[in-house]
């Protein structure tokens, strides 16, 4: 592990160690409500809710805003993080890097990918494959399809959580508009919290069961119907399905997206040019692009990612079974949410060291 930190510091990423105890609200507001059920939460003497550090990116950004005397900075870290993980320890070591304030975004993105691959080489991990995605491009496609804001949020949540569009009905779900007030109350809540809210409403109304269904089953049925409201027309759905089916080596994926945009008359702005520039910088670093896949449906389940995202897996005889060894991406709005006076672009990645140790031991 010392060799990994030495690599980061050699490349100009100064090591930092933010406090283990962090304000819990920062993570739920910026990482999504889903993280709340995975955090270890406590309180201080005044009753303020705190949590054990569930990841490093937000704490590093908070420390940057509190201590840095310059906008551009690069940090590295190595230490324990704490969050519930199915089948894995709730306390584990994480290392990583964060690059804050650089305006040359494609070059900075490529540098982070290069550091991730170099770090895995230092740790003597075998051949790896890299999955790339782009939240900015996905946003541009949804905007070009003219989805209403609420529908766009639902589609985005479905993609980020790994659900397929087939789970949505065309148009508005029958009868849902009658309950617009209830829908507004649960909009944006985590599924468990939304279900509990609907169950409470049924309990207040004295409804225990209807047609043999329990209050819990009624709540689940209502939420399933409510989640189907996307505003996708059949034509827009077909285009989005074609877009989300694209997965290939980066250059081939770019060609496919450009062809679809031309056929469907989608205005994607400069997003494809930015993606091409990023891929060009990655290629210039002598990375083997044949081990890279750009997937339009790839997303990472943290709300603060705004652009380029990636994960690195060890190449295995049974692909898809292993969890990522490294993951990261661009989060250009995070520091502004944390109190920065002006927008600060940022990108970084994290290494799951416990998984890496397991992989290299096999």
């Amino acid at each position: 592990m010392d060799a990994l930190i030495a690599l980061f510091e050699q490349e100009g990423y100064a090591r930092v160690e933010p406090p283990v105890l962090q304000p819990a609200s920062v993570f739920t507001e910026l990482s999504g409500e889903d993280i709340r059920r995975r955090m270890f939460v406590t309180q201080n003497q005044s009753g303020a809710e705190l949590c054990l550090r569930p990841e490093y990116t937000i704490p590093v950004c908070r420390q940057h805003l509190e201590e840095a005397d310059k906008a551009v900075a690069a940090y590295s870290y190595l230490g324990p993080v704490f969050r519930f993980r199915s089948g894995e320890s709730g306390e584990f070591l994480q290392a990583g890097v964060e690059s804050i304030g650089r305006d040359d975004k494609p070059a900075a993105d490529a540098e982070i990918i290069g550091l991730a691959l170099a770090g895995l080489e230092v740790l003597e991990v075998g051949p790896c494959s890299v999955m790339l995605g782009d939240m900015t491009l996905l946003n541009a496609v949804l905007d070009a399809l003219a989805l209403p804001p609420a529908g766009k949020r639902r589609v985005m949540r479905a993609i980020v959580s790994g659900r397929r569009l087939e789970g949505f009905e065309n148009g508005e779900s029958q009868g849902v508009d009658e309950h617009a007030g209830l829908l507004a109350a649960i909009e944006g809540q985590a599924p468990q919290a939304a279900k509990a809210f609907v169950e409470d409403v049924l309990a207040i109304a004295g409804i225990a069961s209807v047609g043999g269904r329990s209050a819990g089953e009624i709540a689940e049925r209502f939420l399933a119907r409510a989640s189907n409201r996307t505003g996708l027309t059949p034509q827009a759905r077909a285009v989005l399905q074609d877009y989300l089916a694209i997965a290939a080596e980066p250059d081939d994926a770019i060609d496919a997206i450009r062809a679809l945009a031309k056929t469907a008359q989608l205005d994607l702005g400069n997003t494809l040019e930015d993606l091409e520039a990023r891929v060009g910088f990655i290629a210039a670093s002598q990375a083997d692009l044949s081990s890279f896949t750009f997937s339009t449906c790839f997303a990472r389940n943290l709300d603060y990612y705004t652009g380029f995202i990636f994960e690195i897996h060890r190449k295995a005889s049974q692909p898809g079974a292993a969890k990522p060894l490294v993951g990261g991406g661009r989060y250009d709005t995070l520091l502004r949410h944390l109190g920065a006076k002006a927008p600060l672009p940022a990108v970084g990645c994290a290494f799951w060291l416990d998984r890496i140790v397991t992989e290299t031991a096999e």
Side-chain angles (χ1 to χ4, degrees):
M1 304 306 173
D2 290 341
L4 185 62
I5 287 295
L7 168 68
F8 296 156
E9 292 183 326
Q10 177 185 323
E11 296 299 323
Y13 288 76
R15 185 171 181 180
V16 292
E17 181 57 26
V20 170
L21 277 177
Q22 296 281 328
S25 61
V26 173
F27 294 91
T28 56
E29 290 169 4
L30 298 173
S31 297
E33 277 292 330
D34 180 62
I35 201 170
R36 174 177 287 279
R37 63 185 177 85
R38 296 186 285 134
M39 295 193 308
F40 292 88
V41 179
T42 185
Q43 290 183 334
N44 64 14
Q45 290 181 331
S46 62
E49 196 173 54
L50 302 174
C51 68
L52 297 179
R53 182 177 59 207
E55 52 97 39
Y56 264 99
T57 298
I58 289 175
V60 169
C61 289
R62 293 182 69 239
Q63 185 166 320
H64 171 79
L65 293 176
E66 291 170 2
E67 300 178 1
D69 57 0
K70 54 185 178 181
V72 180
Y75 303 103
S76 62
Y77 56 82
L78 169 61
V81 292
F82 309 84
R83 65 175 183 264
F84 294 105
R85 301 184 299 168
S86 177
E88 297 179 284
S89 171
E91 176 184 354
F92 54 101
L93 284 178
Q94 208 167 62
V97 291
E98 311 293 346
S99 175
I100 297 174
R102 284 180 58 176
D103 291 324
D104 55 340
K105 296 181 184 180
D109 295 345
E111 181 175 295
I112 293 296
I113 282 272
L115 272 173
L117 291 170
L120 290 174
E121 187 174 343
V122 164
L123 296 173
E124 299 182 350
V125 177
C128 292
S129 60
V130 183
M131 179 68 71
L132 299 177
D134 194 320
M135 302 305 292
T136 302
L137 186 57
L138 177 57
N139 267 293
V141 170
L142 297 180
D143 287 341
L145 292 174
L147 265 70
K152 178 180 174 182
R153 287 194 298 271
R154 293 185 183 98
V155 171
M156 185 70 77
R157 283 202 298 269
I159 294 169
V160 167
S161 62
R163 288 156 45 210
R164 298 181 62 84
L165 288 180
E166 286 78 0
F168 291 114
E169 297 174 2
N170 287 326
E172 302 288 332
S173 293
Q174 183 179 1
V176 169
D177 282 343
E178 300 170 14
H179 313 293
L182 182 56
L183 286 172
I186 64 175
E187 180 70 35
Q189 291 190 35
Q192 296 85 352
K195 180 185 175 185
F197 180 83
V198 175
E199 287 178 326
D200 287 345
V201 171
L202 292 172
I204 291 170
I207 300 173
S209 66
V210 175
R213 293 191 180 94
S214 68
E217 290 171 330
I218 295 168
E220 288 179 352
R221 184 177 176 84
F222 175 79
L223 292 171
R225 292 173 62 196
S227 68
N228 288 335
R229 304 186 316 154
T230 64
L232 278 169
T233 65
Q235 295 83 1
R237 178 184 300 275
V239 171
L240 186 55
Q241 286 175 327
D242 287 344
Y243 172 76
L244 294 174
I246 296 171
E249 289 186 25
D251 288 334
D252 293 336
I254 290 169
D255 290 341
I257 296 167
R258 181 169 281 115
L260 176 62
K262 182 177 180 180
T263 301
Q265 298 183 323
L266 302 178
D267 181 5
L268 302 182
N270 296 323
T271 54
L272 278 178
E273 288 74 13
D274 292 342
L275 175 55
E276 281 184 312
R278 183 183 307 120
V279 171
F281 278 108
I282 293 172
S285 71
Q286 318 237 327
D288 177 13
L289 286 182
S290 68
S291 65
F292 285 65
T293 298
F294 183 89
S295 174
T296 51
C297 67
F298 169 57
R300 307 199 71 230
N301 199 16
L302 285 174
D303 288 355
Y304 57 66
Y305 284 121
T306 57
F308 151 76
I309 52 175
F310 74 96
E311 286 181 353
I312 303 179
H313 296 253
R314 186 181 178 190
K315 287 184 179 177
S317 56
Q318 295 181 342
K323 295 181 178 179
L325 305 181
V326 183
R330 178 160 289 282
Y331 48 94
D332 288 344
T333 61
L334 177 56
L335 282 107
R336 190 65 183 268
H337 283 303
L338 290 172
K341 296 179 181 178
L344 278 175
V347 61
C349 70
F351 290 65
W352 283 275
L353 297 176
D354 57 334
R355 296 175 186 170
I356 292 170
V357 168
T358 301
E359 289 280 347
T360 53
E362 293 177 352

